[in-house]
Amino acid sequence: MRNLEDIKGSRVYGRRQGQALSAARQARLDKWLPNIEIPLDGLVPTGPSGHFDSALADHWLEIGFGKGEHLAAQAKSHPDIGVIGCEPFLNGVSGLVDIVDQENLTNVRIFMDDARLLMDSLPDQSIGRAFILFPDPWPKARHHKRRIVSAGNIKVLSRILKDGAELRIGTDHMEYCRWIMAHMLENPDFNWLSDSPENWRNRPDDWPASRYEIKSREQGRISSYLRFIRCQR
Ligand SMILES: C[S@@+](CC[C@H](N)C(=O)[O-])C[C@H]1O[C@@H](n2cnc3c(N)ncnc32)[C@H](O)[C@@H]1O
């Protein structure tokens, strides 16, 4: 396991809050967060089930959910799955909480900090599916060490994902896409789920579009939808 203090000291995300929240949004946060937030000091090694009120069929993880549209859509269409989302950006968390409130979703939990802290707290083989959608590409070479897709984080994902679990990564950044493929193919624990270009050029039906992806498409950029399977141990 990595050192908690090292991760805290090298957090890889940008700003934590943009625009001030409206009174209504703040009220929704105040209503929901006490029940659905996983606090930093609540990272007990009980496994993901310890963060939910009732037993669920499986637990999925989304890293950097932005405003949460994809996460909420997955939670809504899979009410038997507990979906944990990590996002340090307060306005993003507020976006997800708005949908949780509107849809009364009870199977969502939010970790408002660096996903690596939560990932490190999860037991081996405890997550059935993970999503990293349109992670910040950090294009400058000197910033590549901030990329969430890295050999170290892939190793942790390999540890916490169940055998046969899927890891989905979306990106519209060609160079980061090549980086992701190189790092994923280097790790023998994962197989790329693709037998034709259509597999990674087209978003599968059960992969709802995220806010970032919609904007990117409107701006004429092309995305890759990469799916990897955790091999049997
Ligand atoms: C480009 S945005 C994409 C947001 C969303 N996935 C989408 O597709 O709309 C990347 C997101 O990852 C979050 N992020 C960056 N580093 C993170 C980390 N270490 N842990 C959790 N979230 C992180 C950022 O705050 C940001 O919201």
Side-chain angles (χ1 to χ4, degrees):
M1 195 179 282
R2 296 173 294 194
N3 182 299
L4 191 77
E5 292 310 317
D6 283 353
I7 295 179
K8 282 185 183 170
S10 67
R11 285 177 165 98
V12 288
Y13 46 78
R15 62 199 175 139
R16 288 194 73 146
Q17 186 173 3
Q19 273 186 334
L21 298 178
S22 68
R25 291 202 131 151
Q26 187 62 53
R28 280 194 285 274
L29 275 184
D30 294 343
K31 171 182 161 192
W32 281 96
L33 274 189
N35 302 324
I36 66 171
E37 184 182 15
I38 302 172
L40 187 54
D41 61 6
L43 292 181
V44 282
T46 53
S49 59
H51 299 302
F52 292 86
D53 302 330
S54 55
L56 291 154
D58 204 354
H59 300 93
W60 293 358
L61 173 70
E62 182 162 340
I63 297 169
F65 59 72
K67 293 220 166 183
E69 293 86 353
H70 169 271
L71 190 154
Q74 292 288 11
K76 190 177 173 187
S77 49
H78 299 95
D80 56 332
I81 305 285
V83 191
I84 299 177
C86 304
E87 174 56 64
F89 187 44
L90 181 66
N91 302 64
V93 170
S94 165
L96 176 57
V97 165
D98 286 351
I99 315 175
V100 164
D101 185 58
Q102 264 162 29
E103 305 280 353
N104 205 22
L105 299 173
T106 56
N107 56 333
V108 170
R109 292 294 179 269
I110 298 177
F111 180 63
M112 241 172 85
D113 211 311
D114 192 321
R116 295 175 303 163
L117 296 165
L118 180 109
M119 283 156 61
D120 272 13
S121 78
L122 291 171
D124 296 358
Q125 303 192 49
S126 55
I127 294 293
R129 186 170 289 186
F131 309 92
I132 310 178
L133 306 185
F134 301 88
D136 299 305
W138 295 108
K140 292 182 183 155
R142 70 174 187 279
H143 291 152
H144 283 179
K145 57 181 180 294
R146 299 183 186 177
R147 288 178 163 175
I148 195 79
V149 179
S150 65
N153 292 335
I154 294 170
K155 206 169 150 196
V156 178
L157 283 163
S158 156
R159 181 183 69 72
I160 64 177
L161 285 172
K162 297 177 179 177
D163 290 358
E166 195 174 320
L167 168 62
R168 295 183 172 183
I169 309 179
T171 184
D172 63 348
H173 192 278
M174 243 328 141
E175 189 269 323
Y176 197 13
C177 185
R178 280 194 290 270
W179 164 289
I180 292 166
M181 286 306 299
H183 282 75
M184 289 301 301
L185 296 178
E186 211 168 73
N187 188 312
D189 298 344
F190 288 95
N191 280 333
W192 183 28
L193 200 64
S194 178
D195 47 22
S196 69
E198 287 74 48
N199 282 20
W200 53 276
R201 286 243 177 261
N202 297 317
R203 181 163 42 73
D205 291 341
D206 66 347
W207 178 332
S210 67
R211 173 173 296 231
Y212 182 94
E213 186 208 327
I214 293 168
K215 266 203 227 159
S216 162
R217 201 186 324 135
E218 284 167 2
Q219 290 165 7
R221 292 202 293 277
I222 291 172
S223 293
S224 304
Y225 307 92
L226 309 172
R227 302 166 67 194
F228 304 91
I229 297 294
R230 176 47 170 106
C231 305
Q232 300 291 319
R233 287 166 172 82

